[in-house]
Amino acid sequence: MADQQTQAPDNTAVRTALWRAMHVQADPPPHVLEDEIGLQLAAPGDDWRRRPDMDPQTTRGFRAAIVARARFIEDLILQQADRGVTQYVILGAGLDTFAQRRPETASRLQVFEVDQPGTQAWKRHRLEALGYGIPDWLHLVPVDFETNEDWLTKLTAAGFDSTRPAVIVSTGVTMYLTKDTTAATLRQITALAPGSTLAMTFLLPTDLLDDADRAGLQRSKEGAQASGTPFISFYTPPEMLALAREAGFTDARHVSGASLAERYFADRTDGLRPTTGEDLLLATT
């Protein structure tokens, strides 16, 4: 955008949104997740499916992994909302579209999307231009991570109540952060109200991936480096669990990408399966 106050999401956020749309457009039903609203927000042009990173065959496993983690998160939100949790925080929200796709659930919550100020201004403009608007239960919270603004302070100023349970989600973020920064974030979350739930993705070291997926991870690393957002942190599952427990979580569990594949793709006849390489930490306060 020409306006200095707005800044389109980074390439990774846009690619994630487009892969979610590709799942609907290129993969046969049943679809694990149906999301073409992110495509509307990104507005990449009519030739977007001809991008090299959208090749329907070579990116099958990547887009399957993206929709698997998104579906897991949404199932978690639905479960927690039914239990009475009323706050949902998305750290590094990017082109998340839960609020637009699932308003019947989202409107029962206070949804807080946290991201860089320029990205939030861009998203606000796009939501208004597309007619979705910003309902009073949706809060776009701008946090300048580059100047070390405290996301929790900004979240509270936006109406978040730290004395009430919440679901906090961070997907596709930890690989860009130092381990010290992630540890600090975990400590902040453990101070939230009892009954709060964190779901956080993390990248595995190369030697823990299936052989067939290692070349793909290397290409992703090279692409991230070239775009100025290098991957700097990888975790084994025991290492991530230890980090969570050191931060103060007493209930911390590892959710493998393989378990999501079994949950959401086991009965498919088209061979679509997520790549290995990204797992989740699921922890409660």
Side-chain angles (χ1 to χ4, degrees):
M1 292 287 201
D3 185 348
Q4 291 184 346
Q5 299 304 308
T6 66
Q7 179 181 347
D10 63 32
N11 291 335
T12 301
V14 172
R15 185 182 302 115
T16 296
L18 299 188
W19 275 344
R20 286 161 67 138
M22 277 290 289
H23 176 57
V24 177
Q25 297 187 11
D27 298 325
H31 296 124
V32 175
L33 185 87
E34 295 190 1
D35 180 10
E36 294 180 283
I37 295 177
L39 170 62
Q40 296 175 31
L41 288 170
D46 294 339
D47 62 347
W48 69 275
R49 289 186 57 167
R50 291 194 288 273
R51 289 171 40 156
D53 59 357
M54 290 297 127
D55 181 271
Q57 290 303 313
T58 60
T59 65
R60 293 179 86 226
F62 293 112
R63 66 176 178 268
I66 290 296
V67 298
R69 80 181 188 193
R71 174 65 181 275
F72 176 82
I73 295 299
E74 294 205 359
D75 287 351
L76 174 67
I77 296 303
L78 294 172
Q79 176 196 65
Q80 293 296 309
D82 287 343
R83 291 180 54 195
V85 173
T86 58
Q87 299 185 109
Y88 175 28
V89 179
I90 311 169
L91 300 178
L95 292 172
D96 190 274
T97 60
F98 173 75
Q100 292 74 48
R101 290 180 299 102
R102 305 298 297 268
E104 73 287 349
T105 299
S107 61
R108 296 160 50 195
L109 307 168
Q110 293 295 310
V111 180
F112 299 87
E113 297 189 10
V114 179
D115 215 320
Q116 293 281 9
T119 301
Q120 294 296 62
W122 176 91
K123 189 171 187 179
R124 181 179 298 275
H125 171 77
R126 292 296 297 146
L127 288 172
E128 291 172 349
L130 291 169
Y132 290 105
I134 312 292
D136 59 7
W137 43 264
L138 175 60
H139 311 272
L140 303 186
V141 184
V143 177
D144 192 341
F145 297 106
E146 294 178 0
T147 61
N148 296 315
E149 278 192 331
D150 184 353
W151 63 270
L152 189 52
T153 298
K154 296 295 291 284
L155 196 62
T156 301
F160 178 77
D161 185 350
S162 61
T163 68
R164 292 166 48 216
V167 177
I168 304 93
V169 167
S170 173
T171 59
V173 175
T174 58
M175 70 281 275
Y176 302 111
L177 306 176
T178 66
K179 294 185 177 182
D180 285 346
T181 298
T182 294
T185 299
L186 290 172
R187 288 193 295 271
Q188 285 181 298
I189 294 171
T190 59
L192 299 180
S196 295
T197 301
L198 166 69
M200 174 182 282
T201 64
F202 59 94
L203 286 187
L204 300 173
T206 303
D207 60 346
L208 295 185
L209 273 62
D210 291 349
D211 290 345
D213 296 332
R214 291 178 184 174
L217 175 62
Q218 183 60 35
R219 288 193 297 272
S220 296
K221 289 171 64 177
E222 291 169 355
Q225 181 77 38
S227 65
T229 53
F231 296 167
I232 60 176
S233 295
F234 299 82
Y235 301 84
T236 65
E239 183 180 9
M240 179 54 81
L241 288 173
L243 202 65
R245 289 169 181 145
E246 288 166 7
F249 285 102
T250 56
D251 180 4
R253 288 167 281 164
H254 166 230
V255 179
S256 68
S259 70
L260 300 188
E262 288 303 312
R263 182 179 303 192
Y264 299 120
F265 294 85
D267 297 328
R268 296 189 70 92
T269 59
D270 59 356
L272 182 66
R273 299 277 289 189
T275 55
T276 57
E278 185 177 61
D279 287 2
L280 285 119
L281 166 70
L282 186 64
T284 56
T285 57

